[in-house]
Amino acid sequence: EAGVAQSPRYKIIEKRQSVAFWCNPISGHATLYWYQQILGQGPKLLIQFQNNGVVDDSQLPKDRFSAERLKGVDSTLKIQPAKLEDSAVYLCASSLSFGTSQYFGPGTRLLVL
Amino acid sequence: QQQVKQSPQSLIVQKGGISIINCAYENTAFDYFPWYQQFPGKGPALLIAIRPDVSEKKEGRFTISFNKSAKQFSLHIMDSQPGDSATYFCAASSLGGTGTASKLTFGTGTRLQVTL
């Protein structure tokens, strides 16, 4: 069974530029999560989808971050404009449904200069 | 009330020794407590998880001990091996609730180094 796929793996941009990350969850997984992991910290949930609907985006900085999950499969997370403090690893995870084990992708390491 | 506190921040254990990582939570609604293992450059991988209806769960060399009254849980790695060197995160959530309640709250992580 293929795991959660993410791309790109690394991205370096300058502040005020925009960037987008892509995630393909495990086949059949209805719930998709985006986390931000700052160096030395645990992952922090940014947004959670159930199929193509947003369940929780309470910790998403909506003035600069946006995410979508069209057709309830792949998802993209966008940052526009990026700030220095956005430098982090962005992790995508998926689960079969609510309340089931979450499986993480390898993450996208973002560096904002 | 959503915090999960994890200690120690780092741990050095000799090969064959026991590694112990502790976590404490505040939210009594939490009823699912997984541990994740993360190697450099990789995403967290689910290692073992426990529900509060049992006080201990063992899978191979990994054991979770759970103390509901103290709101604490710990990970024990028996016969620690150099390949266990990684960062370990505890987490907690409330299963079966709404989507918001089911989100994982992570601890700050413990960097484990197992020496020869």
Side-chain angles (χ1 to χ4, degrees), chain A residues 9 35 37 40-43 45 48 55-56 58-59 91 98-99 101-102 104-106 109, chain B residues 32 36 38 41-44 46 89 95-100 102-104 106-109:
Chain A
R9 293 297 313 277
Y35 288 87
Q37 186 175 24
Q41 298 182 18
L45 181 70
Q48 176 181 344
V55 174
D56 181 3
S58 58
Q59 297 193 87
L91 295 162
F98 289 143
S101 298
Q102 294 184 29
F104 285 80
R109 187 176 298 272
Chain B
Y32 174 67
Y36 283 83
Q38 186 174 29
K42 304 289 186 182
L46 180 63
F89 292 95
L95 294 187
T98 65
T100 299
S102 69
K103 72 178 182 183
L104 284 172
F106 283 84
T108 50

Side-chain angles (χ1 to χ4, degrees), chain A residues 74-91:
Chain A
D74 293 7
S75 177
T76 56
L77 176 69
K78 297 178 182 177
I79 308 175
Q80 181 179 14
K83 292 185 175 181
L84 296 178
E85 58 261 36
D86 297 333
S87 295
V89 176
Y90 290 85
L91 295 162

